[in-house]
Amino acid sequence: MKPVRVLMVIDSISDTAGGAERFVVGLAKAMSDDGYAVLVATTRQASGELMGQLDVAGVAHVDVVRRTRFDVPTLWRLFRSLRSERIDVLHANKYGSNVWAVIFGRLARVPVVIAQEHTWAYSGERVRPFLDGRLIGPLSDAFVAVSTADRDRMISLEGVRAEKIEVIPTAYIPREGADGEDLRIELGLDPATPLVGTVAVLRPQKALAVLLDAFAIVARERDTAHLVIAGTGVSEAELHAHAASLGLAGRIHFLGLRQDVNAVWQSLDVGAISSDFEGTPIAALEAIFNGTPLVATAVGGLPDLIDDGVSGLLVAAQDPAALAGGIVRLLDDPAERDAMAAAARERLDDYSLDRLVARMGALYQRLLQRPGRRAARARREDA
């Protein structure tokens, strides 16, 4: 039988992409290496270094960029691609792509349609829970969640049937790019400077104002500590203004978009994640890979990843004092930092790209073998 043909759909891929976009690129490349015939479709934007990685890997790109949310004529190209490319598995990622994929996937009679949610706040919207529970869930063959917390919320808040949900955590996706030097050299700091920081897309979900407030507490207690924040995003100007209001000029450093992310994490004594909600954040996996102990909010998949007090510290969201307390605790205890980093690294195999490919491939194959799916695929091959 011919290789399984997979079309992965996501809204955007760009240099400012978040974890979901990097997940799709990493998975597409790895599944292609594993013998699947993979294509990637974007419905909003496609540019930059991540797209270059797909090109180098020989993963074809299907451009269905829409001008508006309901640009149905443009999205109809997605339907035509599903038919002309004889797609066996349509794997959509994120809410908007999930909606259109289940509709066009069913119209095109694709044998297997999978929707994947990479997390959201699960509050403040009425339409989205309705569509997740009444459209995406029923029309998809499987609805993938990246954490047990997301699975539970999909069931209790959105009404998605439990048997439709597969929990497959995000994997550690190795970065391509230069390593770089210790940030203390770049910033002109003493080599012994205690350095706290994070790598994130600067958007409200990440609650980086809470991290800034926490660092203001840390700075009062440890007068040589510095904070670095790497990344860009819609909250950048607001965060710069908030940092300025704290009166800590020279001790808070915004690094902008970085390609040497591993070097950033390796430079930190303590990593911090202050998010209000998460799935399984790739940033946390990168910190663990680079041996950086984490203080993180106990949201989403972070409690799945971090055993509080053993492989990191978990604190409540929107609590700068608790976040600061965890940071100071680890700054003051190098031995505990090292022990937690080592314990966290032991879990990383569970989040490896190989493990992700095996689990996703098993899901594809199981769904393709369901009654009617195997025959549908055979008919498409013979047509």
Tab-separated table of all heavy atoms in Angstrom, residues 186-236:
chain	number	residue	atom	x	y	z
A	186	GLU	N	27.252	39.399	26.818
A	186	GLU	CA	26.524	40.287	25.906
A	186	GLU	C	26.000	41.527	26.622
A	186	GLU	O	26.034	42.643	26.069
A	186	GLU	CB	25.369	39.515	25.274
A	186	GLU	CG	24.471	40.344	24.387
A	186	GLU	CD	23.286	39.547	23.865
A	186	GLU	OE1	23.399	38.309	23.718
A	186	GLU	OE2	22.235	40.155	23.599
A	187	LEU	N	25.512	41.351	27.851
A	187	LEU	CA	24.896	42.454	28.587
A	187	LEU	C	25.890	43.243	29.424
A	187	LEU	O	25.512	44.208	30.091
A	187	LEU	CB	23.785	41.909	29.494
A	187	LEU	CG	22.617	41.223	28.766
A	187	LEU	CD1	21.677	40.566	29.771
A	187	LEU	CD2	21.862	42.223	27.900
A	188	GLY	N	27.149	42.835	29.412
A	188	GLY	CA	28.171	43.542	30.184
A	188	GLY	C	28.031	43.353	31.675
A	188	GLY	O	28.371	44.263	32.453
A	189	LEU	N	27.563	42.182	32.088
A	189	LEU	CA	27.357	41.908	33.516
A	189	LEU	C	28.516	41.106	34.079
A	189	LEU	O	29.210	40.387	33.360
A	189	LEU	CB	26.051	41.123	33.715
A	189	LEU	CG	24.772	41.777	33.199
A	189	LEU	CD1	23.585	40.836	33.396
A	189	LEU	CD2	24.519	43.117	33.894
A	190	ASP	N	28.691	41.225	35.389
A	190	ASP	CA	29.684	40.411	36.078
A	190	ASP	C	29.345	38.931	35.895
A	190	ASP	O	28.170	38.554	35.933
A	190	ASP	CB	29.675	40.767	37.571
A	190	ASP	CG	30.790	40.065	38.323
A	190	ASP	OD1	30.585	38.874	38.663
A	190	ASP	OD2	31.827	40.688	38.565
A	191	PRO	N	30.346	38.068	35.693
A	191	PRO	CA	30.073	36.632	35.494
A	191	PRO	C	29.305	35.986	36.634
A	191	PRO	O	28.664	34.947	36.427
A	191	PRO	CB	31.480	36.027	35.361
A	191	PRO	CG	32.336	37.143	34.893
A	191	PRO	CD	31.788	38.382	35.521
A	192	ALA	N	29.343	36.573	37.822
A	192	ALA	CA	28.649	35.996	38.977
A	192	ALA	C	27.228	36.532	39.145
A	192	ALA	O	26.536	36.179	40.112
A	192	ALA	CB	29.441	36.269	40.251
A	193	THR	N	26.751	37.358	38.221
A	193	THR	CA	25.424	37.959	38.355
A	193	THR	C	24.319	36.902	38.355
A	193	THR	O	24.233	36.098	37.419
A	193	THR	CB	25.162	38.928	37.182
A	193	THR	OG1	26.137	39.968	37.200
A	193	THR	CG2	23.771	39.553	37.294
A	194	PRO	N	23.474	36.860	39.374
A	194	PRO	CA	22.317	35.947	39.351
A	194	PRO	C	21.364	36.362	38.232
A	194	PRO	O	20.958	37.526	38.156
A	194	PRO	CB	21.674	36.137	40.719
A	194	PRO	CG	22.736	36.766	41.568
A	194	PRO	CD	23.551	37.609	40.642
A	195	LEU	N	21.032	35.410	37.366
A	195	LEU	CA	20.238	35.744	36.187
A	195	LEU	C	18.967	34.895	36.153
A	195	LEU	O	19.009	33.659	36.188
A	195	LEU	CB	21.067	35.509	34.921
A	195	LEU	CG	20.682	36.291	33.662
A	195	LEU	CD1	20.715	37.798	33.924
A	195	LEU	CD2	21.629	35.937	32.514
A	196	VAL	N	17.831	35.592	36.085
A	196	VAL	CA	16.509	34.977	36.016
A	196	VAL	C	15.903	35.350	34.669
A	196	VAL	O	16.173	36.436	34.157
A	196	VAL	CB	15.603	35.504	37.147
A	196	VAL	CG1	14.210	34.875	37.078
A	196	VAL	CG2	16.250	35.276	38.505
A	197	GLY	N	15.091	34.473	34.093
A	197	GLY	CA	14.498	34.876	32.828
A	197	GLY	C	13.573	33.865	32.211
A	197	GLY	O	13.274	32.814	32.786
A	198	THR	N	13.134	34.214	31.004
A	198	THR	CA	12.216	33.354	30.267
A	198	THR	C	12.337	33.631	28.786
A	198	THR	O	12.886	34.654	28.366
A	198	THR	CB	10.761	33.585	30.742
A	198	THR	OG1	9.946	32.513	30.307
A	198	THR	CG2	10.200	34.897	30.202
A	199	VAL	N	11.793	32.706	27.987
A	199	VAL	CA	11.651	32.861	26.539
A	199	VAL	C	10.178	32.670	26.233
A	199	VAL	O	9.596	31.646	26.604
A	199	VAL	CB	12.495	31.831	25.772
A	199	VAL	CG1	12.305	31.999	24.268
A	199	VAL	CG2	13.969	31.938	26.146
A	200	ALA	N	9.547	33.640	25.568
A	200	ALA	CA	8.107	33.558	25.356
A	200	ALA	C	7.680	34.476	24.229
A	200	ALA	O	8.362	35.457	23.911
A	200	ALA	CB	7.352	33.948	26.636
A	201	VAL	N	6.539	34.157	23.618
A	201	VAL	CA	5.843	35.115	22.777
A	201	VAL	C	5.188	36.122	23.718
A	201	VAL	O	4.483	35.732	24.652
A	201	VAL	CB	4.785	34.432	21.897
A	201	VAL	CG1	4.041	35.461	21.054
A	201	VAL	CG2	5.436	33.383	20.995
A	202	LEU	N	5.424	37.401	23.492
A	202	LEU	CA	4.935	38.425	24.422
A	202	LEU	C	3.471	38.726	24.134
A	202	LEU	O	3.125	39.619	23.369
A	202	LEU	CB	5.800	39.689	24.309
A	202	LEU	CG	7.319	39.482	24.394
A	202	LEU	CD1	8.033	40.824	24.473
A	202	LEU	CD2	7.691	38.590	25.571
A	203	ARG	N	2.589	37.947	24.766
A	203	ARG	CA	1.146	38.098	24.595
A	203	ARG	C	0.483	37.929	25.956
A	203	ARG	O	1.093	37.409	26.899
A	203	ARG	CB	0.619	37.090	23.587
A	203	ARG	CG	0.889	35.645	23.927
A	203	ARG	CD	0.536	34.744	22.748
A	203	ARG	NE	0.772	33.335	23.036
A	203	ARG	CZ	0.985	32.405	22.107
A	203	ARG	NH1	0.972	32.755	20.835
A	203	ARG	NH2	1.178	31.146	22.443
A	204	PRO	N	-0.770	38.363	26.096
A	204	PRO	CA	-1.404	38.364	27.421
A	204	PRO	C	-1.393	37.021	28.134
A	204	PRO	O	-1.259	36.969	29.363
A	204	PRO	CB	-2.829	38.825	27.110
A	204	PRO	CG	-2.682	39.703	25.903
A	204	PRO	CD	-1.610	39.056	25.079
A	205	GLN	N	-1.573	35.924	27.401
A	205	GLN	CA	-1.585	34.594	28.010
A	205	GLN	C	-0.379	34.356	28.925
A	205	GLN	O	-0.494	33.693	29.955
A	205	GLN	CB	-1.591	33.538	26.901
A	205	GLN	CG	-1.331	32.120	27.390
A	205	GLN	CD	-0.947	31.170	26.258
A	205	GLN	OE1	-1.052	31.513	25.074
A	205	GLN	NE2	-0.495	29.980	26.597
A	206	LYS	N	0.778	34.907	28.551
A	206	LYS	CA	2.015	34.627	29.276
A	206	LYS	C	2.134	35.404	30.585
A	206	LYS	O	3.036	35.142	31.390
A	206	LYS	CB	3.228	34.930	28.393
A	206	LYS	CG	3.233	34.163	27.072
A	206	LYS	CD	3.224	32.653	27.269
A	206	LYS	CE	3.242	31.897	25.955
A	206	LYS	NZ	3.275	30.425	26.130
A	207	ALA	N	1.230	36.375	30.815
A	207	ALA	CA	1.172	37.122	32.090
A	207	ALA	C	2.550	37.607	32.517
A	207	ALA	O	2.932	37.487	33.692
A	207	ALA	CB	0.544	36.246	33.182
A	208	LEU	N	3.282	38.187	31.600
A	208	LEU	CA	4.652	38.600	31.910
A	208	LEU	C	4.708	39.816	32.829
A	208	LEU	O	5.736	40.062	33.470
A	208	LEU	CB	5.423	38.848	30.614
A	208	LEU	CG	5.708	37.551	29.831
A	208	LEU	CD1	6.171	37.869	28.416
A	208	LEU	CD2	6.740	36.691	30.549
A	209	ALA	N	3.621	40.553	32.939
A	209	ALA	CA	3.579	41.630	33.939
A	209	ALA	C	3.692	41.044	35.344
A	209	ALA	O	4.280	41.660	36.245
A	209	ALA	CB	2.288	42.433	33.799
A	210	VAL	N	3.146	39.837	35.535
A	210	VAL	CA	3.285	39.157	36.826
A	210	VAL	C	4.749	38.811	37.080
A	210	VAL	O	5.254	38.963	38.209
A	210	VAL	CB	2.414	37.879	36.858
A	210	VAL	CG1	2.663	37.079	38.139
A	210	VAL	CG2	0.943	38.246	36.747
A	211	LEU	N	5.454	38.367	36.050
A	211	LEU	CA	6.884	38.080	36.208
A	211	LEU	C	7.661	39.359	36.540
A	211	LEU	O	8.553	39.346	37.398
A	211	LEU	CB	7.443	37.438	34.942
A	211	LEU	CG	8.958	37.168	34.924
A	211	LEU	CD1	9.387	36.308	36.105
A	211	LEU	CD2	9.362	36.513	33.604
A	212	LEU	N	7.307	40.462	35.892
A	212	LEU	CA	7.974	41.730	36.200
A	212	LEU	C	7.718	42.138	37.653
A	212	LEU	O	8.647	42.572	38.363
A	212	LEU	CB	7.488	42.827	35.249
A	212	LEU	CG	7.906	42.686	33.780
A	212	LEU	CD1	7.191	43.725	32.932
A	212	LEU	CD2	9.412	42.809	33.619
A	213	ASP	N	6.489	42.002	38.105
A	213	ASP	CA	6.171	42.338	39.499
A	213	ASP	C	6.894	41.403	40.471
A	213	ASP	O	7.346	41.826	41.541
A	213	ASP	CB	4.658	42.261	39.731
A	213	ASP	CG	3.904	43.382	39.040
A	213	ASP	OD1	4.523	44.409	38.714
A	213	ASP	OD2	2.691	43.211	38.800
A	214	ALA	N	6.983	40.138	40.091
A	214	ALA	CA	7.711	39.193	40.935
A	214	ALA	C	9.181	39.571	41.013
A	214	ALA	O	9.806	39.524	42.091
A	214	ALA	CB	7.558	37.769	40.383
A	215	PHE	N	9.744	39.969	39.867
A	215	PHE	CA	11.161	40.332	39.884
A	215	PHE	C	11.398	41.595	40.713
A	215	PHE	O	12.462	41.741	41.333
A	215	PHE	CB	11.712	40.532	38.475
A	215	PHE	CG	13.174	40.874	38.484
A	215	PHE	CD1	14.118	39.913	38.821
A	215	PHE	CD2	13.603	42.163	38.223
A	215	PHE	CE1	15.476	40.225	38.881
A	215	PHE	CE2	14.951	42.489	38.274
A	215	PHE	CZ	15.891	41.506	38.606
A	216	ALA	N	10.426	42.509	40.746
A	216	ALA	CA	10.584	43.692	41.596
A	216	ALA	C	10.771	43.275	43.051
A	216	ALA	O	11.559	43.884	43.802
A	216	ALA	CB	9.377	44.609	41.443
A	217	ILE	N	10.070	42.217	43.470
A	217	ILE	CA	10.247	41.690	44.831
A	217	ILE	C	11.615	41.040	44.976
A	217	ILE	O	12.346	41.269	45.956
A	217	ILE	CB	9.136	40.670	45.148
A	217	ILE	CG1	7.759	41.341	45.094
A	217	ILE	CG2	9.363	40.029	46.520
A	217	ILE	CD1	6.589	40.364	45.169
A	218	VAL	N	11.999	40.225	43.972
A	218	VAL	CA	13.315	39.576	43.989
A	218	VAL	C	14.420	40.627	44.055
A	218	VAL	O	15.388	40.480	44.824
A	218	VAL	CB	13.492	38.690	42.740
A	218	VAL	CG1	14.921	38.153	42.655
A	218	VAL	CG2	12.488	37.536	42.737
A	219	ALA	N	14.274	41.687	43.290
A	219	ALA	CA	15.313	42.709	43.212
A	219	ALA	C	15.533	43.402	44.547
A	219	ALA	O	16.659	43.817	44.865
A	219	ALA	CB	14.945	43.736	42.141
A	220	ARG	N	14.465	43.540	45.329
A	220	ARG	CA	14.621	44.161	46.644
A	220	ARG	C	15.381	43.241	47.601
A	220	ARG	O	16.104	43.708	48.479
A	220	ARG	CB	13.253	44.512	47.233
A	220	ARG	CG	12.542	45.656	46.526
A	220	ARG	CD	11.399	46.202	47.361
A	220	ARG	NE	10.328	45.216	47.547
A	220	ARG	CZ	9.292	45.073	46.731
A	220	ARG	NH1	9.191	45.852	45.663
A	220	ARG	NH2	8.356	44.180	46.969
A	221	GLU	N	15.190	41.939	47.419
A	221	GLU	CA	15.807	40.981	48.334
A	221	GLU	C	17.191	40.535	47.879
A	221	GLU	O	18.018	40.131	48.709
A	221	GLU	CB	14.889	39.763	48.483
A	221	GLU	CG	13.517	40.110	49.070
A	221	GLU	CD	12.654	38.867	49.282
A	221	GLU	OE1	13.218	37.754	49.324
A	221	GLU	OE2	11.422	39.023	49.418
A	222	ARG	N	17.450	40.569	46.587
A	222	ARG	CA	18.743	40.141	46.031
A	222	ARG	C	19.197	41.228	45.071
A	222	ARG	O	18.850	41.224	43.890
A	222	ARG	CB	18.597	38.790	45.309
A	222	ARG	CG	18.079	37.663	46.204
A	222	ARG	CD	19.067	37.327	47.334
A	222	ARG	NE	18.539	36.257	48.190
A	222	ARG	CZ	17.804	36.432	49.266
A	222	ARG	NH1	17.462	37.680	49.627
A	222	ARG	NH2	17.391	35.414	49.995
A	223	ASP	N	19.995	42.167	45.602
A	223	ASP	CA	20.242	43.406	44.868
A	223	ASP	C	21.206	43.279	43.697
A	223	ASP	O	21.490	44.269	43.014
A	223	ASP	CB	20.715	44.508	45.825
A	223	ASP	CG	21.999	44.139	46.564
A	223	ASP	OD1	22.625	43.119	46.205
A	223	ASP	OD2	22.362	44.875	47.503
A	224	THR	N	21.712	42.077	43.415
A	224	THR	CA	22.562	41.898	42.232
A	224	THR	C	21.860	41.109	41.133
A	224	THR	O	22.428	40.913	40.048
A	224	THR	CB	23.868	41.174	42.602
A	224	THR	OG1	23.560	39.890	43.157
A	224	THR	CG2	24.677	41.986	43.604
A	225	ALA	N	20.637	40.657	41.367
A	225	ALA	CA	19.938	39.825	40.384
A	225	ALA	C	19.458	40.664	39.201
A	225	ALA	O	19.118	41.847	39.338
A	225	ALA	CB	18.754	39.126	41.034
A	226	HIS	N	19.436	40.030	38.025
A	226	HIS	CA	18.918	40.649	36.806
A	226	HIS	C	17.880	39.720	36.173
A	226	HIS	O	17.891	38.502	36.392
A	226	HIS	CB	20.043	40.907	35.799
A	226	HIS	CG	20.880	42.098	36.129
A	226	HIS	ND1	21.003	43.183	35.283
A	226	HIS	CD2	21.646	42.379	37.213
A	226	HIS	CE1	21.816	44.084	35.830
A	226	HIS	NE2	22.228	43.619	37.004
A	227	LEU	N	16.984	40.331	35.389
A	227	LEU	CA	15.935	39.594	34.685
A	227	LEU	C	16.094	39.796	33.184
A	227	LEU	O	16.307	40.923	32.720
A	227	LEU	CB	14.556	40.106	35.117
A	227	LEU	CG	13.349	39.538	34.347
A	227	LEU	CD1	13.123	38.064	34.684
A	227	LEU	CD2	12.084	40.350	34.660
A	228	VAL	N	15.956	38.693	32.414
A	228	VAL	CA	15.953	38.798	30.952
A	228	VAL	C	14.676	38.164	30.413
A	228	VAL	O	14.201	37.150	30.921
A	228	VAL	CB	17.188	38.119	30.318
A	228	VAL	CG1	18.470	38.818	30.762
A	228	VAL	CG2	17.249	36.638	30.628
A	229	ILE	N	14.112	38.798	29.386
A	229	ILE	CA	12.929	38.279	28.709
A	229	ILE	C	13.228	38.273	27.217
A	229	ILE	O	13.484	39.328	26.620
A	229	ILE	CB	11.682	39.130	29.002
A	229	ILE	CG1	11.346	39.093	30.500
A	229	ILE	CG2	10.493	38.660	28.177
A	229	ILE	CD1	10.191	40.006	30.905
A	230	ALA	N	13.205	37.095	26.615
A	230	ALA	CA	13.463	36.956	25.184
A	230	ALA	C	12.157	36.708	24.455
A	230	ALA	O	11.344	35.889	24.885
A	230	ALA	CB	14.438	35.808	24.932
A	231	GLY	N	11.954	37.417	23.338
A	231	GLY	CA	10.762	37.207	22.530
A	231	GLY	C	10.159	38.524	22.079
A	231	GLY	O	10.547	39.609	22.540
A	232	THR	N	9.209	38.425	21.174
A	232	THR	CA	8.467	39.589	20.696
A	232	THR	C	6.989	39.249	20.730
A	232	THR	O	6.608	38.097	20.915
A	232	THR	CB	8.874	39.972	19.263
A	232	THR	OG1	8.597	38.856	18.387
A	232	THR	CG2	10.345	40.334	19.184
A	233	GLY	N	6.146	40.257	20.523
A	233	GLY	CA	4.716	40.001	20.506
A	233	GLY	C	3.904	41.243	20.776
A	233	GLY	O	4.448	42.342	20.986
A	234	VAL	N	2.594	41.093	20.808
A	234	VAL	CA	1.677	42.226	20.877
A	234	VAL	C	1.766	42.985	22.197
A	234	VAL	O	1.367	44.150	22.273
A	234	VAL	CB	0.226	41.770	20.646
A	234	VAL	CG1	0.057	41.209	19.249
A	234	VAL	CG2	-0.200	40.738	21.685
A	235	SER	N	2.273	42.343	23.248
A	235	SER	CA	2.331	42.993	24.563
A	235	SER	C	3.653	43.708	24.811
A	235	SER	O	3.883	44.213	25.914
A	235	SER	CB	2.110	41.958	25.674
A	235	SER	OG	0.849	41.351	25.570
A	236	GLU	N	4.504	43.772	23.804
A	236	GLU	CA	5.870	44.265	24.019
A	236	GLU	C	5.902	45.690	24.567
A	236	GLU	O	6.572	45.974	25.569
A	236	GLU	CB	6.656	44.174	22.717
A	236	GLU	CG	8.143	44.443	22.879
A	236	GLU	CD	8.942	43.998	21.669
A	236	GLU	OE1	8.366	43.402	20.738
A	236	GLU	OE2	10.163	44.258	21.664
